[in-house]
Amino acid sequence: MILRCLRCGYVGSGALRQCPRCGFPLVIESRGVLRIDRDRPSIWRYASVLNHGDRVFTLGEGFTRLRRVGGVLIKDESRNPTGSFMDRGSSVIMSNVGSTEVRVSLEEDFTLSLATYAGLAGVRVRVYVSPGVSGLYPELLRLAIMRNVTIEFRDSQGDVDVVYGEPLFLEGVKTIAYELYEQVGEVEGVVIPMERGYLALGIYEGFRELLNWGLI
C-alpha cells in the first residue's frame, strides 16, 4: 500500500500511521479508478479502489440513506450495524488483519465497532482500559459480554495493533464521499461533527480522489 501525507506531500509505504516528516495522519492511495458494483449494498460496492486482504468482512455497512430535514440532506450513519460511521473503517481494518488477535485501547464507538467486526472475522480483541477512563461504561459493558473480547484495566503504553484514525480506518471513512457522489452528484458542501478531525480528513480524501478521477 502506498501512503500519502496530504499536508506536506510525503509518499511512502510500510506500517506507518503518521507522516514521518510532519506528523499528519496518512491516507492510502487508491488501487485504481473507481468502478461501482451497484449490486453490493455496502462500502464494498467500491471494492475496485479499496485496499483489502484475501477476504472481505462486512456486515452491510455503508450506503446509508439520505433524509431531507428542513431543506438539508442528512446522511443517516446511525443505520450502520453498530450505529456509527466507525463501521466503515472497522470493515476495512478487519479485511486486512492476518493475525488471530489485535490489541486496542478503549475509544468511544470505535472499539465496540472493531470488536464486532473482529468477531465476524474470528479474531480476538484485547482491550486496554485506562484506570482514569470515565463516561464509557455502557460501551464497556457491551464489550465485556462479547466472547472474543478480553479487557485489561491498564494504560496501553502504545502497545496496540490498531488505533482510531489509522490509514486503513480512513480508507473506509472516505466511502462517505463516494456515496454522496453516487446519491447526490455535485456536492457544494458537507457539514460534519468535529472532534479530532479524522471524519473530516477521510471525507476530504474521498472527494479529492473523485476530483482527480474527473468525476466531479
Side-chain angles (χ1 to χ4, degrees), residues 111-132:
T111 307
L112 179 62
S113 173
L114 185 75
T116 300
Y117 280 80
L120 179 67
V123 174
R124 293 199 56 79
V125 179
R126 187 172 299 276
V127 178
Y128 297 130
V129 182
S130 173

Side-chain angles (χ1 to χ4, degrees), residues 59 82 84-91 94 107 109-119 139 143 146 169:
L59 291 169
T82 72
S84 167
F85 75 91
M86 302 284 183
D87 294 343
R88 298 171 180 270
S90 295
S91 177
M94 294 313 304
E107 296 266 5
D109 295 329
F110 173 66
T111 307
L112 179 62
S113 173
L114 185 75
T116 300
Y117 280 80
E139 188 160 329
L143 286 165
M146 298 178 71
F169 175 80

